[in-house]
Amino acid sequence: MEQDGRRLRGLRSRETILQQAVGLASVEGLDGLSLGRLAAAAGVSKSAFFAHWRDKEQLQLDAVEWAVRQWTEQVVGPALRAPAGARRLFALHEARLRFYADGVLPGGCFFFAVQAEFDDRPGVVRDRLVRAMREWQEFIRRLVAEAVTLGELVDSVDPAQLAYEIDALGEMVIIHSRLYDGPASLVHARRAVLQRLRALCPDPALLPED
């Protein structure tokens, strides 16, 4: 029993550290993670920290995994509860905007913050980031293709193109909302995708008017 208790405490400590790591990286990037500072922010001793990670690269990889899980739970999961088709596609965009509006991460978006660090730095961390971003794009494309198959988007829609547009409009919120546009950027991004989908939907009544 005591061994199980230690394992549970170790797991909780690891989760707490990763939560702090993803939050800090959303502001300062993965290279900005100081092991000592991160241990202090998570409220754990340095010895407890080094029991989980012996090097910074593994911490960075685990932070990416934690960020993927967080995104899946808070953005992808809620969208999948919406009816398949155009409504699910728009629900995904709204869940993303809600994630930003709620200030889940202090820097807005983990992936936006770290992609600029690793876009020209070969290695395992870059490879994992590329896979995460590719999987996100492929997920949006699948939702678009599903909506076309269900007849909720016109047959002429290019899933890759529409997925790119939706993702780009979501990403723009991170820049505009934090630099100068504030909450208005959320309104613009929501309306832009909604109007795009309504124009492509044979039955626009499936989607909100505004």
Side-chain angles (χ1 to χ4, degrees):
M1 292 293 291
E2 179 58 29
Q3 185 176 2
D4 290 342
R6 285 198 299 270
R7 187 179 297 111
L8 180 60
R9 288 192 294 273
L11 180 60
R12 287 174 177 167
S13 171
R14 184 177 186 277
E15 292 285 290
T16 299
I17 293 169
L18 286 175
Q19 183 177 12
Q20 290 291 333
V22 170
L24 286 172
S26 74
V27 177
E28 301 178 9
L30 285 171
D31 271 351
L33 296 179
S34 159
L35 303 187
R37 178 185 174 193
L38 189 53
V44 300
S45 65
K46 288 188 179 180
S47 60
F49 187 97
F50 287 108
H52 296 295
W53 296 281
R54 295 297 180 182
D55 62 74
K56 192 171 183 177
E57 183 176 81
Q58 187 57 53
L59 171 64
Q60 291 174 334
L61 287 169
D62 289 345
V64 175
E65 296 293 345
W66 203 95
V68 168
R69 191 182 78 184
Q70 180 187 57
W71 190 258
T72 301
E73 291 174 352
Q74 299 197 36
V75 178
V76 175
L80 290 176
R81 292 194 286 271
R87 286 165 291 184
R88 180 172 293 173
L89 188 58
F90 186 56
L92 182 70
H93 185 62
E94 286 199 301
R96 178 183 193 168
L97 298 183
R98 191 177 308 114
F99 183 90
Y100 298 150
D102 289 347
V104 176
L105 295 176
C109 182
F110 170 87
F111 294 101
F112 185 82
V114 303
Q115 63 181 309
E117 285 184 282
F118 290 89
D119 58 358
D120 57 359
R121 288 170 53 182
V124 293
V125 178
R126 182 185 188 278
D127 292 345
R128 183 61 187 96
L129 286 168
V130 168
R131 180 158 63 90
M133 296 172 69
R134 181 178 294 120
E135 288 171 350
W136 167 244
Q137 279 284 323
E138 289 174 351
F139 178 68
I140 305 174
R141 283 199 295 269
R142 287 199 303 273
L143 293 192
V144 174
E146 181 180 51
V148 172
T149 300
L150 292 171
E152 295 193 2
L153 291 178
V154 296
D155 290 340
S156 60
V157 166
D158 178 346
Q161 178 63 34
L162 184 56
Y164 184 90
E165 293 172 18
I166 292 172
D167 190 35
L169 286 163
E171 192 170 86
M172 187 61 69
V173 170
I174 305 163
I175 305 170
H176 283 209
S177 65
R178 301 183 70 79
L179 281 177
Y180 70 93
D181 212 11
S185 63
L186 294 162
V187 175
H188 296 321
R190 181 183 183 276
R191 185 177 297 145
V193 170
L194 177 58
Q195 291 177 351
R196 185 84 171 100
L197 293 179
R198 282 178 62 87
L200 296 170
C201 183
D203 182 9
L206 289 172
L207 295 162
E209 292 186 4
D210 196 0

